[in-house]
Amino acid sequence: EYNYYVDEYGNWSSAVLDATDNWWGTQNPSEIAATIYDYYDDTDRAVVNYMSFLDAENGTSVGTAPTGETYLIGGTTESMTLSGSYLVPSYFKINPGHELTIAPGTMIKFASGAYLVVGDGGILTAGDISDSPVVFTSSQETPVAGDWTGIRFMYESSGSLSNCIIEYAEKG
């Protein structure tokens, strides 16, 4: 049923499995996600990172959506800063001990049901009151409230959202 199945073993809370640059039989990240059983399906499982995938068997690595956004898939393997436009097809997790900083003017779009989670010990710092807002929004052509799940802060996570717009989420 799955191309990649993460079994439950020990504490997976900070594990990110590298599954980048593989051919999954499709270039559609939502279809790829449906063939992976991981954190998205069960939060006791590890995160599987397939942020870049191949466009064909023995093909070229794909890291951007057809609409131009950079894919944001899986989770952090280190602290990082985002600037520009991103698309989250399923979920993105900030792992323990990592900080995700989102620069002013950045736009993050979420596919239907997608979400951002700040895991235990993770830090999310988004925006700056003196600059352009950070926008968290739906990737749908005609967005409506509830298009994407929202931003989740887990126990012992932290962060700040300054001058951010959170729209069309189930919970903001």
Side-chain angles (χ1 to χ4, degrees), residues 43 67 78 97 129 137 145 166 168:
T43 57
T67 51
E78 61 185 17
I129 60 170
T137 191
I166 303 171
Y168 307 114

Side-chain angles (χ1 to χ4, degrees), residues 1-5 24 26 30-37 41:
E1 178 177 0
Y2 296 100
N3 288 326
Y4 201 100
Y5 186 93
W24 298 90
T26 180
S30 296
E31 291 176 13
I32 294 170
T35 70
I36 298 173
Y37 188 85
D41 304 288

Side-chain angles (χ1 to χ4, degrees), residues 72 82 84-88 100 102 106-110 116 134-138 148:
L72 200 54
L82 301 180
S85 296
Y86 296 86
L87 175 62
V88 179
L100 179 64
I102 304 175
T106 299
M107 178 175 285
I108 302 179
K109 295 179 180 179
F110 294 83
L116 174 66
V134 170
V135 178
F136 299 93
T137 191
S138 169
W148 59 286

